Amino acid sequence: MEKITLASQLLQYLITGLTVGSVYAMVAVGFNIIYNVTEIINFAQGEFVMLGGLIMVFLHVAMGLPLILAFPATIVLVTVIGILIDRLAIRHIRHPSVFTLIIATIAVSIIIKGMASFIWGKDPFDLPAFSGRNPINILGAVIQPQYFWVIGFLVIAAIALSIFFDRTIIGKAMSACADNADAASLVGINVKQMVLLSFALSAAIGAVAGITITPISLMEYDRGAMLAVKGFGAAVLGGLGSFPGAILGGLIIGSIESFGAGLIHSGYKDAFALIVLLIILFFKPSGLLGSTEISRIKRF
Amino acid sequence: MLRIAKLPIAIFALFIIVFPWIARQIPAIGNYTDIMVFVGIYCLITIGLSLLMGYAGQISIGHAAFFGIGAYISGVLTAKYGMNAWACMVIGMTVAAVVAALVGAPSLKLKGHYLAMATLAFGIIVFIIFNEEIEWTGGPDGMSGIPGLSIFGFEFDSVERYYYLVWGFVLAAFVFTVNVIQSGTGRALRAIHASEPAASAMGVNVSRFKILVFVYSAVLASLAGSFYAHYLNFINPSTFDLFFSIKLLIMIALGGMHSIWGAIMGTGLITFLSYEWLRYFEEFEIIVYGVILLFVTVLLPDGLAGVPKIVKGWFRRKVSDER
């Protein structure tokens, strides 16, 4: 066993931080997808991650479905739940204001959490790592192979989404709703369908985050709220509405959390991300990559 | 609701005064006085919150933190340092006011509901502090040995005595808040809720008013926390978690955002639900709360306080149909 040097320890913190940060980044991207189309801050965003993890455990471990089938099946199921949230709750609010929408998504999130505790109980669940648990040694840092899966899926999701929004008609239609919903509906875009699609997409990416992180950090029913707050912190840090910002914000928040827990105080691990969120809200609410101009038009 | 009639307040006060006597006569509701003490404590928080949410149009998802600040300052200073309980209450309220101003001032200057997110993060941070500063707070196990309240040798040592003490403060806060709503300040707050740019064009200092209301609601929550600590003689962090903040939100949404009466109704209903009627559901009560909150948001945007109006409109339509 070689000696643990400070440098290797720092590298360890960095890689752990980037991995956790990838999950926050995916949650933040999920926030942005819905926010861009609807100006809703979906407080239930973290529940998609929780559901992704737990449904995957159910399909893969309990039902014995192979990984290659359980993975897409989980994404589909969580996506359906995302669609149901829009169809059953959000769409029926008669006078949607930012105020009522916040409260509605909070309601949805505690209903989902309650159901999850009903179905899965309160214990955390483990999921086998995708490619084993033999740690890889890089410059003295010990790294689980699963870490690469998490970071890899963030990259895949980012590429897929940027192709979707820049190259496809539907993606461009969604971007149009983001710019101006009234104008979008004037040129024949079905805004309601775009809202539905935004919930579906956002649920899907949440599910991916949940599936990939569960082998590392386990998953239990009440993980959603904290993931949502941290993901929101990442979204605000990067600039609400900006996809590159969300990814950057997520990676930064994950790293701050990992270094903070390692070097300062592990008990306050969860507080670091929130303190960053407060600082950003107070001093630069438009975020690192957000534009002040856009934030002036938006209601939130 | 511009005018708040004096008669309902008098009737309500009378009801509060005779309630313990009624509860004593009927064995089935004998423990309701005890629950009503908690209703009173929570009402202190929701009265302030309803001013913030219903009149100033801002959401706070972190008031459990101010409730906890009051409870822990009272608890730690009286149990560990033997300080005077009433002085500690004032210290708690002062600290809550300063913290609220520090958290609220920057986020309330921003547009929209940044306060919701800032208070959410703030609430969780305070919750973590309660858990981690074991030396002072006892950590997750909580702290016991908090003394009861007394004044000039008169001990508030029975449920009924404490009931009258708490409800005395609730009525005072209620009357004060109603006066605020009916004053120029109340008009300014409603103007802010309706349209911030319009209000500020009329010369209303929007952010100052919002900060004031936020601080006021935090002070009331801290006071409630002190009463809570001295009543139970024991506190632990889980009382002051995110879910409690959400529960406060449910109380106000259920009663009706724009009515201070609604806040009291909602608080009473939710408190009785969680202390008495939903005990069978145990852990799953959270689903019931979620359904209530969603139901109210979608179908009753004005909460229970808006029901009479809906019924009236429904009757009117029916009558005009028959003609």
Side-chain angles (χ1 to χ4, degrees):
Chain A
M1 181 106 194
E2 62 187 292
K3 223 180 90 196
I4 299 169
T5 61
L6 182 65
S8 69
Q9 205 169 3
L10 290 180
L11 182 68
Q12 179 89 55
Y13 293 149
L14 181 67
I15 294 177
T16 310
L18 292 180
T19 306
V20 182
S22 299
V23 172
Y24 300 157
M26 285 190 250
V27 179
V29 168
F31 268 117
N32 280 340
I33 294 173
I34 292 180
Y35 170 78
N36 274 346
V37 179
T38 62
E39 298 185 10
I40 295 174
I41 297 297
N42 174 27
F43 276 74
Q45 196 64 41
E47 312 305 329
F48 295 143
V49 182
M50 179 271 289
L51 285 172
L54 290 181
I55 292 177
M56 181 71 178
V57 169
F58 174 71
L59 293 179
H60 187 45
V61 179
M63 304 270 291
L65 233 58
L67 186 74
I68 198 89
L69 288 178
F71 198 108
T74 305
I75 295 179
V76 169
L77 281 175
V78 178
T79 305
V80 169
I81 293 171
I83 291 173
L84 286 179
I85 290 176
D86 179 50
R87 289 306 300 262
L88 298 180
I90 306 297
R91 198 174 281 192
H92 296 285
I93 296 172
R94 268 175 297 183
H95 309 289
S97 66
V98 178
F99 198 89
T100 47
L101 289 172
I102 289 181
I103 293 178
T105 58
I106 290 177
V108 167
S109 91
I110 62 178
I111 292 173
I112 293 180
K113 183 176 150 185
M115 301 274 211
S117 87
F118 192 74
I119 297 171
W120 284 284
K122 307 215 149 182
D123 297 325
F125 284 92
D126 191 11
L127 186 69
F130 296 176
S131 46
R133 285 212 162 110
N134 292 327
I136 305 160
N137 199 320
I138 299 175
L139 301 172
V142 181
I143 293 152
Q144 294 277 345
Q146 186 69 23
Y147 285 22
F148 297 111
W149 281 109
V150 179
I151 299 172
F153 269 106
L154 172 67
V155 174
I156 293 172
I159 294 172
L161 281 175
S162 66
I163 292 174
F164 175 73
F165 280 111
D166 295 342
R167 300 281 162 84
T168 67
I169 294 285
I170 302 178
K172 283 181 181 167
M174 274 179 85
S175 310
C177 293
D179 288 339
N180 187 332
D182 294 332
S185 75
L186 273 180
V187 296
I189 295 170
N190 187 339
V191 175
K192 269 191 177 163
Q193 233 158 49
M194 293 302 134
V195 173
L196 188 85
L197 189 60
S198 75
F199 271 88
L201 266 181
S202 162
I205 192 168
V208 171
I211 296 169
T212 50
I213 195 68
T214 303
I216 297 173
S217 65
L218 311 185
M219 191 55 74
E220 69 244 61
Y221 78 104
D222 66 349
R223 198 72 75 73
M226 191 60 93
L227 281 166
V229 181
K230 289 178 181 170
F232 181 77
V236 172
L237 175 61
L240 207 51
S242 152
F243 289 112
I247 293 169
L248 184 69
L251 297 179
I252 294 177
I253 291 226
S255 308
I256 290 175
E257 185 177 302
S258 172
F259 281 108
L263 301 175
I264 302 171
H265 192 311
S266 63
Y268 282 99
K269 180 175 146 278
D270 290 331
F272 294 114
L274 303 175
I275 292 168
V276 173
L277 169 60
L278 281 184
I279 292 173
I280 293 292
L281 282 180
F282 292 168
F283 295 108
K284 200 174 184 312
S286 59
L288 296 174
L289 302 182
S291 95
T292 342
E293 211 131 293
I294 289 176
S295 67
R296 231 174 257 150
I297 305 169
K298 297 279 185 184
R299 284 187 294 168
F300 188 86
Chain B
M1 194 187 274
L2 206 63
R3 283 269 141 229
I4 291 184
K6 292 209 172 59
L7 186 67
I9 300 181
I11 294 172
F12 181 63
L14 198 69
F15 168 75
I16 290 300
I17 291 168
V18 297
F19 184 83
W21 182 83
I22 298 172
R24 237 182 296 146
Q25 311 306 314
I26 308 166
I29 62 165
N31 64 333
Y32 277 24
T33 310
D34 176 48
I35 299 175
M36 280 295 281
V37 174
F38 290 103
V39 175
I41 289 172
Y42 300 149
C43 272
L44 278 175
I45 315 176
T46 49
I47 286 173
L49 259 185
S50 115
L51 195 65
L52 178 73
M53 289 173 52
Y55 291 83
Q58 296 293 319
I59 299 183
S60 164
I61 323 178
H63 260 56
F66 298 115
F67 184 52
I69 286 174
Y72 270 101
I73 286 182
S74 276
V76 172
L77 292 184
T78 54
K80 297 220 157 125
Y81 299 94
M83 285 174 64
N84 177 285
W86 304 97
C88 297
M89 244 177 227
V90 176
I91 296 174
M93 293 196 286
T94 316
V95 171
V98 172
V99 172
L102 287 177
V103 174
S107 36
L108 285 167
K109 278 192 186 123
L110 299 169
K111 202 172 42 145
H113 291 93
Y114 277 97
L115 186 71
M117 275 304 173
T119 50
L120 177 61
F122 165 73
I124 298 177
I125 292 171
V126 171
F127 176 70
I128 294 172
I129 294 175
F130 290 153
N131 273 299
E132 290 299 323
E133 295 302 318
I134 297 171
E135 223 171 286
W136 288 331
T137 63
D141 297 334
M143 61 177 304
S144 52
I146 303 165
L149 286 171
S150 67
I151 190 159
F152 304 125
F154 181 82
E155 301 268 346
F156 293 98
D157 51 2
S158 73
V159 170
E160 285 188 15
R161 283 179 181 184
Y162 213 89
Y163 169 93
Y164 286 115
L165 173 70
V166 166
W167 277 99
F169 274 87
V170 174
L171 286 178
F174 184 83
V175 170
F176 181 78
T177 309
V178 165
N179 278 323
V180 168
I181 293 170
Q182 291 176 346
S183 70
T185 313
R187 280 193 296 278
L189 289 176
R190 275 192 302 278
I192 292 170
H193 191 38
S195 161
E196 280 187 26
S200 101
M202 300 302 289
V204 175
N205 186 337
V206 172
S207 60
R208 209 192 103 217
F209 271 112
K210 286 200 283 190
I211 294 167
L212 266 180
V213 174
F214 186 59
V215 168
Y216 175 65
S217 68
V219 167
L220 280 182
S222 168
L223 178 68
S226 298
F227 279 129
Y228 182 88
H230 288 297
Y231 185 58
L232 279 188
N233 310 115
F234 168 81
I235 43 177
N236 71 346
S238 67
T239 312
F240 313 104
D241 61 0
L242 172 64
F243 184 58
F244 183 71
S245 291
I246 294 179
K247 232 173 173 179
L248 293 171
L249 205 70
I250 300 173
M251 292 174 184
I252 294 190
L254 174 63
M257 302 264 180
H258 306 291
S259 152
I260 197 158
W261 281 114
I264 289 183
M265 265 193 302
T267 309
L269 273 172
I270 295 292
T271 310
F272 270 94
L273 274 177
S274 64
Y275 280 81
E276 186 79 13
W277 302 328
L278 276 190
R279 278 193 307 195
Y280 304 104
F281 285 79
E282 288 172 15
E283 324 261 311
F284 308 117
E285 57 168 14
I286 187 171
I287 303 178
V288 180
Y289 291 130
V291 170
I292 291 176
L293 188 56
L294 193 60
F295 178 82
V296 170
T297 320
V298 174
L299 296 176
L300 296 174
D302 289 325
L304 292 177
V307 170
K309 215 170 99 190
I310 294 175
V311 173
K312 233 184 262 170
W314 189 68
F315 264 113
R316 205 166 291 157
R317 231 175 303 139
K318 213 163 184 205
V319 168
S320 64
D321 281 351
E322 278 167 13
R323 271 179 201 161

